[in-house]
Amino acid sequence: FMRYRGVYSEPGEFDIPASANLGLALDTTGHTTLTFDVRHIEYSDVKPFTSDLLPNRFLALLGDGTSPRFAWQDLTVYQVGWRWENRDEDLAWHLNWSSGRQPTPTSDVLARALAPEFSDEHWQVGVTRVTSDHSRVTLSASYTPSDYFLSLDGRGFEAENTFDRMELEARWSIDF
């Protein structure tokens, strides 16, 4: 973390917030499963830090004696999923929808400044193929109707840069 010294304007914590998860999976047929998940994330327990990845209209509200207090609210994420398996071909398709992909600031003023970048939902579709007794390959695509302003791709966002985002992922998993 010494490489980050002086990069941000105030000290922060490089910490992962505590979370609690609860999930339910219902086997509706021999091949189909429905899932329901709830996850509560305690963002308010971690001291936030500013970054140039946040929009300029947000950063302009910080830094003087009249600035609102910068902190994130806790977040509860709901997820609904569907999975279909073809066991003869070791293949499974899945579709997931989730709410609340990012926390909101505790200050109404700061929340309004970020409102164009907020995404209230997230979609994912994918396919998994079993390649051996201990490995599998998954290909998936994710879609978010608005850009995720805390992304780590190194770009800063301007007010007019609100757009949909799609991500593709290929993953090879090995159990050991």
Side-chain angles (χ1 to χ4, degrees):
F1 293 124
M2 291 302 291
R3 287 185 285 169
Y4 290 101
R5 177 171 280 188
V7 173
Y8 300 105
S9 61
E10 70 271 348
E13 295 180 15
F14 290 95
D15 196 4
I16 298 172
S19 65
N21 303 340
L22 178 64
L24 174 67
L26 301 172
D27 187 6
T28 56
T29 69
H31 298 281
T32 305
T33 305
L34 294 177
T35 60
F36 304 94
D37 298 294
V38 177
R39 181 177 188 193
H40 184 75
I41 307 166
E42 297 285 332
Y43 283 110
S44 62
D45 289 346
V46 177
K47 184 174 180 173
F49 57 89
T50 56
S51 165
D52 65 353
L53 294 178
L54 292 164
N56 288 335
R57 68 180 170 283
F58 178 87
L59 296 174
L61 296 170
L62 302 174
D64 64 26
T66 63
S67 298
R69 181 176 169 272
F70 178 38
W72 296 119
Q73 292 182 5
D74 295 340
L75 178 64
T76 302
V77 179
Y78 302 95
Q79 183 172 339
V80 177
W82 169 83
R83 181 177 173 91
W84 180 81
E85 293 184 49
N86 181 340
R87 292 185 186 99
D88 296 333
E89 296 182 18
D90 293 328
L91 195 67
W93 288 89
H94 69 269
L95 175 66
N96 295 311
W97 170 85
S98 64
S99 70
R101 186 157 180 223
Q102 53 205 9
T104 57
T106 55
S107 162
D108 288 339
V109 172
L110 296 176
R112 282 193 302 275
L114 288 179
E117 279 82 17
F118 272 107
S119 176
D120 292 331
E121 60 184 307
H122 173 77
W123 293 88
Q124 184 184 54
V125 63
V127 61
T128 300
R129 171 85 181 203
V130 175
T131 55
S132 75
D133 288 343
H134 301 288
S135 69
R136 64 195 155 281
V137 173
T138 301
L139 302 174
S140 61
S142 298
Y143 170 76
T144 302
S146 179
D147 202 14
Y148 185 46
F149 60 80
L150 294 178
S151 65
L152 300 175
D153 61 5
R155 295 179 295 124
F157 295 101
E158 300 298 325
E160 66 274 10
N161 287 346
T162 58
F163 48 87
D164 297 348
R165 172 163 283 193
M166 186 167 192
E167 296 176 356
L168 303 174
E169 178 183 23
R171 182 176 60 230
W172 179 31
S173 303
I174 301 173
D175 300 328
F176 56 92

